[in-house]
Amino acid sequence: MALDPEQVFGICGLKLDAAVFDVARRCWVIELRSVAADPPCPTCGQPASRRHSAYWRTLADVPCAGHQTRWRLVVRRLVCQNVACPQRIFAERFPTLALPFARTTTRLIDVFRSLALSAGGRGGARLASTLAMPVDRKKLLRIVRQTPPPAATSVRVLGIDDWAYRKGLTYGTILVDLEAQQIVDLLPDRSAESIAEWLRQHPGVQIITRDRASVYADGARQGAPDAVQVADRWHLLKNLKDAVQATLLPWQAELRQHLGGAAALPADVEAGTLPHTIATAPEHMAPCLPIPAHTQLQFDRIQERRRAGSTLHAIAAEVGTSRNTVRKYVALDTCPAPQRRTRPSRLEPFKPYVLERFRSGCDNARMLWEEVRLQGYAGGATMVRSFLAPFRGQGTPQGDRPFPKPPLPSIRTLSCLLIKVPELRNGEEQRWVERLTALRSEAQTVVTLTQQFAAMVRRGEAQVLETWLQAATASGIAALKSFAKGVWNDLAAVREGIVQSWSNGPVEGHVNKLKTVKRQMYGRAKLDLLRARLLAGST
């Protein structure tokens, strides 16, 4: 049965002469020739019947049975009989098969494009070689850059956020259609002018979600004055947490003394029973690390320059640090000590059982490790041995053994606990908040205002926002007053952020995708390649 190239390859006007397997090159060779009558001139479009000559054209195609495929196509040269046409001699074209002068079929280029958009240059080249389609990585990058961007569509709900070329140095802007969940564009910088210009070129945006940055607020106001701006709720709570942390930082020494007393131990421990969770930090370990000498020196220099009347900007330039660090140190009386960060141990759920067995007389760490391993513990015996080390040599195994003092919460932990839903706090966290409230009157105000604002955001109660802002302004606490001032300046967007269901959460997810693609290309991709991959990959 003869093969019809039109049925096999979907191309008309070709006749199959031979299909053989080249053993030396380990590839399929398919020979075809054109039988189309009077091919048109590519310049003037007039059919030409006068043949001039012919030549062989070789095209790479998708593999067959795990081997490469090469097409050998007899292409005719013809003479254009239109005297007004500048093209005298032309080669017939096969637009559905391959582009002019290309050595690869169109469908193989489509495969290369998919590989490059998914895996990049080097990764796509390695994958293509495995699939019997060897290609140079630079060709894959050229194909990606030549891919036209998707057709522009009308965006109604737009999410805006920044992303880093180099963190802390240069930033760009990502724009996301929140309804379609797709990236619509990447901007080369983080400026109000770029946002405004893009919005003018893409009218129809009705809602804009953003973080608290004034740059995006100004750009949205200039480019789409009728659009509703929505401040992201997560950033609102983060700004509040930062304000609380700045308030608690000068009280660090007092907090450590107030929260680290004997009364901080749970009541069930004092009664002699086992607690549900026991920390791994022994009693002799301090919750804070020693202050490094260079940190203390930097703190002293900042304090000295500030007493001399220098501005925060001048101090930051002279000392060689950021203005945020200078602002934090200026508000403190003593240099803050770095705090020890503790992470939950894999042994945590099994500590009550280990201590119970230890108090009953079994002090063999290896044996206890084997017992808890049967209960699902996935760690090693060293962790069990380290946990029991503080209890060894303190009384008889049958007697009561002292429990380690729980680690003190850091300033960051305390600020997060104030924003956390009260019903989700455990007993120890609730006791920390209660003891913080009893520390001083300012602490009581901070706790009350923080919990009120967090509850207001979660419940969508924007009608009490102005009342809360007035209370925060009248509280006399500098960080909360500064936070309230920022909210006053962005009151409409904050109110919409509390009420609206839209947020910048999906935009953060697309920023994570952008970082993944950027790191996949080893951070060396220019904006055009990064933009082409993200826009084409989001369709």
Side-chain angles (χ1 to χ4, degrees), residues 164 166-171:
R166 295 182 63 187
K167 190 172 182 180
L169 297 177
T170 54
Y171 287 86

Side-chain angles (χ1 to χ4, degrees), residues 480-503:
L480 290 182
K481 289 175 61 178
S482 177
F483 172 75
K485 180 180 179 181
V487 175
W488 276 118
N489 296 335
D490 201 17
L491 184 61
V494 172
R495 184 182 290 110
E496 293 295 336
I498 296 175
V499 176
Q500 294 272 2
S501 60
W502 301 105
S503 71

Side-chain angles (χ1 to χ4, degrees), residues 102-382:
R103 297 185 180 183
T104 307
T105 62
T106 304
R107 60 181 178 181
L108 183 57
I109 290 180
D110 292 339
V111 175
F112 286 156
R113 180 179 294 108
S114 299
L115 291 176
L117 290 175
S118 302
R122 293 184 184 274
R126 288 193 294 265
L127 184 57
S129 179
T130 304
L131 299 176
M133 297 180 291
V135 63
D136 184 67
R137 64 180 181 86
K138 295 182 179 179
K139 180 176 181 178
L140 293 181
L141 297 182
R142 285 196 301 270
I143 292 175
V144 172
R145 285 191 166 101
Q146 293 169 1
T147 302
T153 58
S154 178
V155 180
R156 191 181 74 90
V157 184
L158 181 68
I160 305 177
D161 204 352
D162 56 8
W163 58 276
Y165 288 101
R166 295 182 63 187
K167 190 172 182 180
L169 297 177
T170 54
Y171 287 86
T173 301
I174 184 172
L175 306 175
V176 178
D177 185 349
L178 294 182
E179 290 184 317
Q181 295 291 311
Q182 291 182 356
I183 301 174
V184 294
D185 209 345
L186 294 182
L187 303 183
D189 56 10
R190 183 176 56 179
S191 64
E193 292 76 13
S194 298
I195 294 294
E197 181 63 26
W198 191 94
L199 289 173
R200 294 189 192 102
Q201 296 176 2
H202 300 79
V205 178
Q206 300 178 10
I207 299 176
I208 299 176
T209 68
R210 55 171 176 80
D211 57 17
R212 301 291 311 288
S214 59
V215 171
Y216 293 147
D218 296 339
R221 194 178 302 110
Q222 297 172 20
D226 297 331
V228 176
Q229 297 190 35
V230 179
D232 185 56
R233 291 182 294 275
W234 183 88
H235 286 89
L236 275 175
L237 294 178
K238 181 182 182 299
N239 297 148
L240 177 62
K241 181 188 75 68
D242 294 340
V244 173
Q245 189 171 337
T247 304
L248 298 181
L249 192 59
W251 308 341
Q252 185 176 20
E254 188 176 355
L255 283 171
R256 184 161 60 246
Q257 181 180 2
H258 191 72
L259 298 179
L265 290 175
D268 49 3
V269 175
E270 296 177 353
T273 59
L274 287 174
H276 296 289
T277 58
I278 298 178
T280 59
E283 186 173 358
H284 64 273
M285 290 179 61
C288 294
L289 300 173
I291 301 176
H294 68 278
T295 304
Q296 183 66 52
L297 179 61
Q298 185 183 65
F299 179 84
D300 295 339
R301 292 179 60 190
I302 291 175
Q303 293 288 342
E304 180 182 352
R305 300 300 187 277
R306 186 58 173 175
R307 286 193 296 268
S310 300
T311 63
L312 300 182
H313 183 77
I315 296 175
E318 184 176 355
V319 178
T321 185
S322 65
R323 279 183 291 177
N324 288 335
T325 302
V326 174
R327 186 179 295 109
K328 180 179 71 173
Y329 282 2
V330 165
L332 300 178
D333 296 329
T334 59
C335 182
Q339 297 180 340
R340 188 185 305 276
R341 296 183 180 180
T342 59
R343 297 181 179 179
S345 169
R346 284 184 291 182
L347 186 61
E348 195 73 29
F350 309 96
K351 287 178 181 179
Y353 175 81
V354 172
L355 280 176
E356 185 66 36
R357 293 280 291 122
F358 184 78
R359 295 180 60 180
S360 64
C362 181
D363 57 356
N364 190 314
R366 180 80 181 185
M367 183 181 300
L368 293 174
W369 168 70
E370 292 176 352
E371 293 179 7
V372 295
R373 189 176 60 169
L374 295 177
Q375 301 177 17
Y377 172 62
T382 303

Side-chain angles (χ1 to χ4, degrees), residues 34-42 45-49 76 78 90-93:
S34 175
V35 293
D38 301 338
C41 173
Q46 179 175 329
S49 59
R76 294 174 295 179
L78 299 107
F90 67 91
E92 59 181 326
R93 305 291 174 86

